[in-house]
Amino acid sequence: MEHEYERKGALNLMAAFNTRTGKVYGQCYERKRQVEFIQFLEYLERELPAHVTRIHIVLDNLRVHKGKQVQA
């Protein structure tokens, strides 16, 4: 990465895929922090039908996914 690197409006996409229905849930954010990750999880909770009681989340080792705010 060069020292002149600029994002030039690039966004971060957080997405989830329902393997039973094929539906994709996605949100774009300007930043990638715990706050945005929590917002995405809350979005999923609102969007998923009430009869869905369990979801499986596959994450990478990004620090955002396991911070203190997310754990709380």
Side-chain angles (χ1 to χ4, degrees), residues 15-56:
F17 177 66
N18 185 329
T19 58
R20 293 183 185 210
T21 66
K23 182 169 180 165
V24 176
Y25 301 89
Q27 295 278 290
C28 288
Y29 299 94
E30 289 188 18
R31 298 186 68 186
K32 185 171 38 177
R33 303 173 297 173
Q34 290 182 64
V35 173
E36 286 80 15
F37 184 58
I38 292 168
Q39 287 174 356
F40 179 68
L41 294 175
E42 290 169 346
Y43 159 76
L44 280 180
E45 187 173 30
R46 287 190 308 274
E47 293 295 315
L48 291 171
H51 71 273
V52 175
T53 59
R54 180 180 292 182
I55 62 172
H56 297 270

Side-chain angles (χ1 to χ4, degrees), residues 50-68:
H51 71 273
V52 175
T53 59
R54 180 180 292 182
I55 62 172
H56 297 270
I57 301 175
V58 179
L59 304 169
D60 59 10
N61 288 330
L62 192 61
R63 184 180 222 161
V64 168
H65 299 145
K66 46 191 172 181
K68 289 180 182 177

Side-chain angles (χ1 to χ4, degrees), residues 2-15:
E2 299 293 326
H3 71 282
E4 296 95 9
Y5 174 79
E6 294 178 28
R7 289 191 55 93
K8 301 200 187 286
L11 295 174
N12 296 290
L13 170 66
M14 293 191 193

